[in-house]
Amino acid sequence: MKSNLITRTGHDLLVAELKKLWHDERPEITKKVNWAASLGDRSENADYQYNKQLLRKIDRRVRYLGKRLEELKIVDYVPEQDGKVYFGAWVEIENDQGEQKTLRIVGVDEIYDHHPQHISIESPMAKALLSKQVDDEVEVYTPLGKKLWYINSIRYEKHENSSN
């Protein structure tokens, strides 16, 4: 089952996407569809067909976001998280070869923006990091075998007026 957790930043981005689709993009494409339809024969009208297809794509995304946003649970920072890795944490890790990475554990809905530092709460790396502390050694099982990582630092984004 897909996780329903999301960071406040991720939630705000999805809400902004929904507003942009509904208030900006959809009305603009609807105008184009109506204009193209007014030209007559729709079967050979590329503008009409393309924009109609785009409108269906926007409507699908609007329906999905509307439904998904109702299911999501925003997870805000709480002081009790300090010192350990939990959902929403930024974690700096390093391996024996000196390779360093900074990752943020986020919900599956936040991976869509392909942010190179975001990893899903459901990923093997995130599962291995959860509840660990600075200087802990973490074993991560990957398709290429077991990898060892060390936690160098943990930090959280703190938001004003945060409430679930």
Side-chain angles (χ1 to χ4, degrees):
M1 189 174 120
K2 191 154 107 169
S3 167
N4 287 339
L5 303 179
I6 193 165
T7 64
R8 181 158 303 277
T9 303
H11 185 268
D12 292 349
L13 286 171
L14 291 181
V15 168
E17 179 188 357
L18 179 58
K19 283 181 181 171
K20 184 176 193 292
L21 286 170
W22 189 250
H23 296 292
D24 300 338
E25 292 183 25
R26 191 177 193 288
E28 185 63 31
I29 298 301
T30 301
K31 281 184 206 166
K32 289 180 181 178
V33 167
N34 290 336
W35 170 80
S38 73
L39 298 177
D41 186 7
R42 296 175 188 175
S43 64
E44 293 183 20
N45 185 330
D47 275 336
Y48 175 81
Q49 291 177 1
Y50 172 77
N51 286 298
K52 192 72 174 163
Q53 185 179 13
L54 197 52
L55 190 58
R56 282 194 293 270
K57 183 178 173 187
I58 289 169
D59 286 345
R60 267 194 309 276
R61 184 70 179 162
V62 164
R63 276 193 306 276
Y64 172 79
L65 288 172
K67 194 170 152 189
R68 188 68 178 141
L69 283 165
E70 291 175 10
E71 301 168 346
L72 293 172
K73 179 183 182 335
I74 299 170
V75 178
D76 283 317
Y77 161 82
V78 290
E80 293 78 24
Q81 293 174 304
D82 283 337
K84 288 198 172 188
V85 178
Y86 294 108
F87 185 84
W90 283 97
V91 186
E92 184 184 298
I93 57 175
E94 184 175 355
N95 64 19
D96 288 334
Q97 292 76 44
E99 180 185 0
Q100 291 186 341
K101 294 180 182 226
T102 302
L103 306 169
R104 185 172 194 206
I105 300 173
V106 298
V108 295
D109 296 276
E110 297 175 82
I111 301 300
Y112 72 90
D113 67 355
H114 306 293
H115 191 292
Q117 294 177 305
H118 285 181
I119 61 170
S120 166
I121 185 76
E122 296 177 2
S123 70
M125 176 67 85
K127 288 178 180 178
L129 288 169
L130 287 173
S131 299
K132 300 292 193 277
Q133 305 176 75
V134 171
D135 294 329
D136 279 357
E137 184 177 279
V138 179
E139 287 184 354
V140 181
Y141 295 91
T142 71
L144 302 174
K146 182 173 78 171
K147 298 234 180 187
L148 286 179
W149 293 89
Y150 304 93
I151 299 177
N152 291 335
S153 69
I154 303 164
R155 68 181 167 81
Y156 290 90
E157 287 182 7
K158 297 162 181 81
H159 293 272
E160 299 299 316
N161 303 327
S162 296
S163 64
N164 286 353

